[in-house]
Amino acid sequence: MNQFEKLPVGADQELKVKCKECGVVYMANSNNEIRSMRRHMQSCVCRDTRNVGQLLISQDKGTLALSAKRFDAEHSRELITTAIILHDLPFSFVEYEAVRATYQYLHPEITLVTRNTLKADVQTMFSREKARIKSMLDLSPGRICLTSDLWTSIVADGYLSLTAHFIDKDWVLQKRILNFCFMPSPHTGIALSEKFYALLCEWGIEYKVFTLTLDNVSANDVSVDLLKNQLVENNALISDGSFFHIRCCARVLNLVVEEGLKDIDSVVKKIRESVKYVRGSQIRKKKFLECVNLMGLDSKRGLRQDVPTRWSSTFLMLDSVLYYRRAFCHLELSDFNYKDCLDLYEWEKAEKICEFLEPFYNITCVFSGAKYPTANLYFPTVYTCYLSLKSSERSEDAYLSAMAKAMLTKFEKYWKDLSLILAIAIVFDPRYKLNFVDYAYGNVYGMKGSPQFLEVKRNLDLLFTEYSRGKVFTTNVVTSLPTPIAHKSFYRGKPKY
């Protein structure tokens, strides 16, 4: 038995041997032990070292041991299915000849599935994940906030998304896409309302909904009114649905800024033409790059071309051009074909426009976050936006003043919808609380303890009472707040699907 080695005789005077491979100790004086040693020689996992790659080091109770890893066919299929879903691969991917050859090389025992089998695996995984999310929604201790949007594909097919935001049983903020489903035309308010209610019933959350955030289009307004009436009849909403409809803050801000940029100033037009000129040919790019290097500027920052449908791109274009201001001035001297360079007055005007748009761009970045934005972030930013417009309205610059007035008029149409529910949300932020709401309304309306602040406090008390009772009761909650200017009807835009 060359596999064993003798150990020194101890106080017990017993002859002991140890396996050279795994270190197992046997008593050599017993016949039973000798038979066990022979069996160990045949079954020792450390004896066969011809394929070391199949052995893994594992730790059990502080000791190291060698064990062979077994191939799990079911787990392998699940990994393939996950890869297909995550990377948006076609089902036929598993039937590619080179892919099959790779799998067989990695492990000969792997089961190569067909596209139909993979499709069934995807459907099985979808059903399992849907049941898991539905369980999370059922176990959620609070109510669920929903967001939705509607898109039209390149082949004119409509698709509706529904996303849930909620606190799970472990008090962790969760965001889950419940549906991304086909939405046939016409996209009327009645059709959208029926679709929303069907999805709520499918997930079993028709009695747990708190708010629904939608884009600012007329069809959505109709659908929300119909859906709210249906849920109120079932006694399923807080405060008779007074806080049910939330307008998309990012969309509202976009409408406000677009209103101010309708009449683009000649300065912005000349900047746009300057960027087009520089990026028009490779020779111009090279010449501009030489000017950048001569001025000691960072060439990697680059120029940005704006997109007419995205006002934020106009701000980024202005910001990039202002950085390369000296390079453009030098290009005017070295290139006689460049005719759109700004003069000193126009450069100063461009700086004012860029400075005016910067807070709105920063707010847009806050609103556009995928995971971190919560309700407590919105009121301070919206309040800051309002004060910025009021301040710019009194600007001595006629262009900025006209732009601020146009934007303020649009903002006033949505301020009363945004201020109440978002002001209630900010109260729960320990950095602000109720005193900040009083301070913010005091700056907007010129007095502390304003009627608007008292209305927020009253509705907050009503919400607390309703939650403390643990059931829905009918109370008329006034959600409209007086605005500094005369009341005007809401903007009713056409659907832009």
Side-chain angles (χ1 to χ4, degrees):
M1 298 182 180
N2 296 327
Q3 186 177 343
F4 294 89
E5 64 176 352
K6 293 182 180 181
L7 296 176
V9 179
D12 53 5
Q13 298 297 321
E14 295 287 343
L15 178 61
K16 300 179 182 179
V17 294
K18 181 179 69 173
C19 178
K20 296 179 182 180
E21 300 294 338
C22 63
V24 177
V25 178
Y26 290 92
M27 307 293 293
N29 295 336
S30 172
N31 292 332
N32 292 332
E33 289 290 314
I34 294 175
R35 285 192 293 268
S36 298
M37 291 165 61
R38 289 174 179 172
R39 288 194 298 269
H40 179 80
M41 291 174 61
Q42 299 176 355
S43 61
C44 181
V45 295
C46 303
R47 186 180 179 186
D48 189 2
T49 58
R50 289 172 296 178
N51 190 2
V52 183
Q54 297 298 321
L55 302 179
L56 294 178
I57 297 179
S58 60
Q59 187 173 0
D60 184 17
K61 297 181 180 180
T63 61
L64 294 178
L66 293 179
S67 61
K69 184 178 180 180
R70 296 181 179 179
F71 176 74
D72 190 343
E74 294 184 0
H75 184 60
S76 173
R77 285 180 58 178
E78 186 173 353
L79 290 176
I80 295 174
T81 304
T82 304
I84 294 293
I85 297 174
L86 290 179
H87 302 290
D88 197 20
L89 299 174
F91 291 151
S92 59
F93 175 81
V94 293
E95 296 182 350
Y96 293 166
E97 183 178 352
V99 174
R100 286 178 170 266
T102 303
Y103 286 150
Q104 288 180 337
Y105 172 77
L106 294 175
H107 202 288
E109 297 181 8
I110 191 170
T111 303
L112 301 176
V113 299
T114 63
R115 66 179 72 184
N116 293 328
T117 304
L118 180 62
K119 178 182 178 181
D121 291 345
V122 171
Q123 292 175 341
T124 301
M125 181 175 289
F126 171 79
S127 300
R128 183 175 70 247
E129 291 298 315
K130 183 176 180 180
R132 185 178 65 85
I133 295 176
K134 190 173 182 180
S135 177
M136 291 177 62
L137 295 172
D138 292 338
L139 297 176
S140 174
R143 287 187 171 261
I144 301 168
C145 297
L146 302 173
T147 58
S148 181
D149 205 350
L150 191 65
W151 292 273
T152 301
S153 67
I154 194 173
V155 293
D157 290 333
Y159 292 91
L160 179 72
S161 72
L162 184 65
T163 306
H165 309 262
F166 60 98
I167 304 295
D168 63 12
K169 61 183 181 64
D170 298 321
W171 285 88
V172 178
L173 178 63
Q174 299 288 345
K175 172 187 176 183
R176 293 292 185 272
I177 298 177
L178 302 184
N179 290 91
F180 192 93
C181 52
F182 175 69
M183 182 64 194
S185 297
H187 300 155
T188 61
I190 297 177
L192 290 173
S193 175
E194 294 175 351
K195 186 67 173 180
F196 283 136
Y197 190 75
L199 294 177
L200 296 182
C201 294
E202 178 184 346
W203 287 94
I205 58 175
E206 63 272 22
Y207 290 95
K208 299 188 68 174
V209 177
F210 183 38
T211 63
L212 176 62
T213 302
L214 297 172
D215 202 354
N216 298 282
V217 293
S218 57
N220 283 341
D221 293 339
V222 175
S223 66
V224 167
D225 291 339
L226 294 175
L227 181 61
K228 183 175 70 174
N229 293 335
Q230 188 171 5
L231 293 176
V232 169
E233 289 181 359
N234 297 333
N235 202 24
L237 292 179
I238 293 290
S239 302
D240 290 340
S242 300
F243 306 102
F244 178 62
H245 184 198
I246 303 296
R247 298 182 182 273
C248 178
C249 294
R251 179 57 179 164
V252 169
L253 182 63
N254 190 62
L255 291 174
V256 168
V257 180
E258 285 182 350
E259 185 70 20
L261 296 179
K262 279 185 176 180
D263 299 326
I264 296 295
D265 191 83
S266 59
V267 173
V268 180
K269 292 182 179 179
K270 292 183 70 173
I271 291 177
R272 183 180 294 116
E273 293 301 322
S274 297
V275 176
K276 290 181 179 179
Y277 178 83
V278 171
R279 302 178 64 179
S281 67
Q282 198 65 30
I283 297 177
R284 296 174 186 172
K285 291 181 181 179
K286 185 178 179 180
K287 185 174 295 186
F288 180 75
L289 185 59
E290 293 175 355
C291 297
V292 170
N293 294 330
L294 287 173
M295 297 295 104
L297 302 175
D298 184 8
S299 59
K300 295 182 179 180
R301 183 165 178 173
L303 289 174
R304 294 177 178 267
Q305 180 70 55
D306 68 335
V307 180
T309 56
R310 296 179 58 189
W311 73 266
S312 57
S313 64
T314 302
F315 166 77
L316 294 175
M317 179 186 68
L318 293 173
D319 185 60
S320 64
V321 169
L322 287 172
Y323 176 77
Y324 292 111
R325 172 178 176 175
R326 290 183 296 160
F328 276 103
C329 294
H330 192 276
L331 181 64
E332 182 184 22
L333 300 175
S334 59
D335 187 355
F336 297 102
N337 294 323
Y338 176 49
K339 305 294 184 182
D340 294 311
C341 186
L342 281 66
D343 56 28
L344 180 60
Y345 171 76
E346 291 172 332
W347 280 117
E348 293 177 355
K349 197 170 186 178
E351 290 180 351
K352 291 180 181 179
I353 297 175
C354 187
E355 184 179 355
F356 173 76
L357 294 177
E358 184 175 6
F360 299 95
Y361 175 77
N362 295 333
I363 294 173
T364 300
C365 293
V366 173
F367 287 174
S368 302
K371 294 182 179 180
Y372 65 83
T374 49
N376 62 307
L377 299 178
Y378 285 74
F379 186 80
T381 54
V382 173
Y383 156 71
T384 303
C385 174
Y386 190 92
L387 289 186
S388 177
L389 290 177
K390 295 289 288 184
S391 176
S392 299
E393 185 184 22
R394 298 185 294 269
S395 174
E396 296 180 357
D397 190 291
Y399 176 72
L400 291 181
S401 178
M403 180 187 297
K405 288 180 180 179
M407 295 169 64
L408 191 60
T409 302
K410 178 69 70 174
F411 189 89
E412 292 287 357
K413 297 180 179 180
Y414 301 104
W415 166 249
K416 65 178 182 180
D417 279 349
L418 296 177
S419 60
L420 178 60
I421 186 63
L422 298 182
I424 292 176
I426 199 64
V427 175
F428 295 96
D429 191 329
R431 299 170 299 177
Y432 298 99
K433 296 187 177 181
L434 198 59
N435 290 334
F436 177 78
V437 179
D438 190 14
Y439 169 79
Y441 279 125
N443 288 337
V444 172
Y445 298 103
M447 58 179 295
K448 283 193 173 183
S450 62
Q452 293 77 18
F453 167 72
L454 297 177
E455 187 66 26
V456 170
K457 188 176 181 181
R458 187 180 75 85
N459 282 276
L460 180 62
D461 293 338
L462 291 175
L463 281 176
F464 175 79
T465 303
E466 186 163 351
Y467 271 95
S468 62
R469 291 179 179 178
K471 60 182 181 180
V472 178
F473 66 96
T474 56
T475 303
N476 294 326
V477 181
V478 181
T479 59
S480 60
L481 297 177
T483 55
I485 61 174
H487 172 73
K488 296 182 181 180
S489 60
F490 286 152
Y491 166 73
R492 303 290 184 179
K494 296 182 180 180
K496 301 178 181 179
Y497 303 131

